């Protein structure tokens, strides 16, 4: 599916699902002024073509794991195959091929307080170098604005779920760990399917999901390639920032419409950002005029994203 096939209704539907990934199509359809069947059919088409899907994302604090950002240097002919191998692992997320296949970057999860599971990678005959940095904190609370700009303010208010209490992640239990892989693959999986998978009643599954969401332990996101939205220039940006300016710089970047992610990391750089732009000229302007003007930025390293092999959800 190319960008020309994403009509206004598709964009509105994706924005609605960003607000609440499990919102009933009846509620979405009412706000968008279409029939339930039309809304459901449009999303089914988007999912069937691989354009978009809803996935469950777990807060690492509740799951008891730490996130590591890993960079691999690889021979370009091997990049695609290695990236697919990494994507099939259950402990990885956000597997990307960078710089025309000379690098792979991905996030791997490990139990909190333990080292990242990298021994196998270091011995891999096709990997030329391995670097790992601890992802200390996600510093951007909202989604990339390019994915959430199709609805009016009134429509957003009608679709946004009611605010919960203070978001304090809770510990996952064994039944949660059986439930979450199903939701990672299909965040809109029906309650009967979820109940059958874990051996709970539908009402118990519904209550547990509500509890996990209210606590901030679980959220739902929509995976969609920015290229399909008309933003083909995507880039990882590693920044070295004066420590006293780190928080201010992160807040400034997180407010930019180009920013898709901002996080604090260990290593030679202390801040990581992902920029999404209309084209290379816009990316250049963002790097030179915007990031170049930020007080406290001492060094910048960039790597264009060639392709995403895995974001959060497991590969189909």
């Amino acid at each position: 599916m190319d960008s020309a096939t994403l009509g206004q209704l598709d964009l509105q539907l994706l924005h609605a699902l960003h607000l609440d990934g499990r919102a009933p199509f009846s509620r979405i359809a009412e706000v968008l002024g279409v029939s339930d069947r039309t809304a459901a059919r449009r999303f089914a088409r988007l999912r069937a073509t691989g354009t978009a899907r809803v996935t469950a994302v777990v807060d690492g604090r509740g799951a008891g794991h730490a996130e590591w950002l890993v960079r691999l240097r690889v021979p370009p002919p091997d990049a695609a195959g290695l990236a697919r191998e990494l994507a099939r692992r259950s402990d990885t997320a956000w597997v990307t091929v960078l710089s025309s296949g000379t690098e792979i970057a991905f996030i791997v999860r490990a139990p909190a307080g333990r080292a990242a599971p990298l021994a196998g990678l270091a011995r891999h005959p096709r990997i030329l170098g391995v670097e790992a940095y601890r992802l200390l904190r996600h510093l951007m609370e909202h989604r990339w604005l390019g994915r959430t700009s199709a609805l009016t303010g009134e429509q957003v208010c009608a679709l946004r779920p009611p605010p919960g209490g203070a978001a304090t992640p809770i510990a996952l239990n064994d039944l949660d760990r059986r439930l979450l892989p199903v939701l990672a693959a299909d965040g809109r999986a029906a309650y009967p399917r979820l109940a059958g998978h874990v051996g709970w009643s539908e009402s118990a599954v519904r209550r547990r999901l509500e509890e996990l969401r209210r606590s901030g332990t679980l959220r739902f996101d929509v995976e969609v390639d920015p290229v399909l939205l008309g933003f083909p220039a995507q880039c990882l940006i590693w920044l070295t920032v004066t420590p006293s300016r780190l928080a201010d710089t992160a807040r400034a970047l997180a407010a930019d419409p180009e920013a898709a992610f901002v996080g604090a990391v260990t290593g030679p750089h202390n801040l990581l950002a992902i920029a999404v732009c209309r084209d290379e000229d816009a990316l250049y302007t963002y790097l030179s005029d915007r990031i170049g003007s930020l007080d406290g930025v001492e060094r910048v390293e960039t790597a264009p994203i060639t392709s995403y092999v895995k974001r959060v959800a497991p590969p189909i």
Side-chain angles (χ1 to χ4, degrees):
M1 176 176 290
D2 59 39
S3 59
T5 65
L6 282 178
Q8 182 62 19
L9 180 56
D10 297 315
L11 298 176
Q12 290 177 324
L13 178 59
L14 292 175
H15 190 168
L17 291 171
H18 276 295
L19 297 170
D20 184 353
R22 289 189 65 86
F25 284 124
S26 57
R27 181 156 64 91
I28 294 175
E30 181 181 3
V31 173
L32 300 187
V34 298
S35 69
D36 301 9
R37 183 178 179 182
T38 295
R41 186 175 64 245
R42 283 297 186 105
F43 179 71
R45 182 175 66 94
L46 293 173
R47 193 175 192 281
T49 57
T51 303
R53 61 173 166 163
V54 177
T55 183
V57 182
V58 180
D59 187 293
R61 293 171 294 173
H65 64 233
E67 291 181 323
W68 291 83
L69 175 68
V70 182
R71 296 178 70 177
L72 306 179
R73 288 190 298 108
V74 297
D78 296 327
L82 286 169
R84 287 193 295 269
E85 288 181 29
L86 291 165
R88 287 192 290 267
R89 290 176 46 161
S90 61
D91 60 352
T92 63
W94 190 73
V95 181
T96 59
V97 176
L98 305 175
S99 303
S100 295
T102 60
E103 282 190 84
I104 296 172
F106 65 97
I107 290 174
V108 63
R109 298 186 177 96
R114 297 186 187 179
L118 302 179
L121 295 177
R123 296 191 297 266
H124 200 293
R126 291 178 291 167
I127 294 176
L128 306 178
V130 181
E131 299 175 11
Y133 313 121
R134 179 74 165 83
L135 183 53
L136 298 175
R137 183 176 297 180
H138 293 236
L139 298 173
M140 182 169 162
E141 297 181 355
H142 60 272
R143 278 94 165 185
W144 171 56
L145 298 178
R147 295 189 294 175
T148 55
S149 56
L151 299 178
T152 67
E154 184 178 353
Q155 289 172 319
V156 168
C157 291
L159 288 166
R160 192 188 301 278
T168 304
I170 57 180
L172 300 178
N173 58 38
D174 290 338
L175 289 174
D176 293 332
R177 294 186 179 91
R178 292 165 56 192
L179 179 67
L180 293 174
V182 182
L183 289 168
D186 180 7
R188 291 188 64 84
Y191 287 110
R193 178 187 169 198
L194 297 174
H197 185 81
V198 300
W200 293 353
S201 67
E202 291 182 37
S203 59
V205 169
R206 190 184 298 270
R207 285 195 301 271
R208 184 57 176 171
L209 280 186
E210 290 174 354
E211 181 180 8
L212 291 171
R213 296 184 75 179
R214 283 197 306 270
S215 67
T217 306
L218 181 69
R219 64 179 176 84
F220 291 92
D221 200 1
V222 183
E223 293 191 346
V224 58
D225 191 341
V227 172
L228 297 175
L229 303 177
F231 293 83
Q234 303 171 61
C235 187
L236 264 66
I237 306 172
W238 284 272
L239 301 99
T240 302
V241 181
T242 303
S244 62
R245 300 292 304 168
L246 184 62
D248 288 342
T249 301
R251 281 192 293 269
L253 291 174
D256 289 343
E258 295 87 353
F261 175 84
V262 180
V265 295
T266 62
H269 307 286
N270 50 11
L271 203 61
L272 171 69
I274 300 177
V276 180
C277 299
R278 289 285 185 186
D279 52 35
E280 285 73 15
D281 285 341
L283 176 59
Y284 172 80
T285 299
Y286 183 64
L287 292 170
S288 62
D289 295 1
R290 173 55 173 159
I291 292 182
S293 68
L294 292 173
D295 184 31
V297 175
E298 299 175 345
R299 182 183 170 208
V300 176
E301 180 184 353
T302 59
I305 295 174
T306 302
S307 64
Y308 282 95
V309 182
K310 182 180 185 180
R311 287 178 172 82
V312 176
I316 297 175

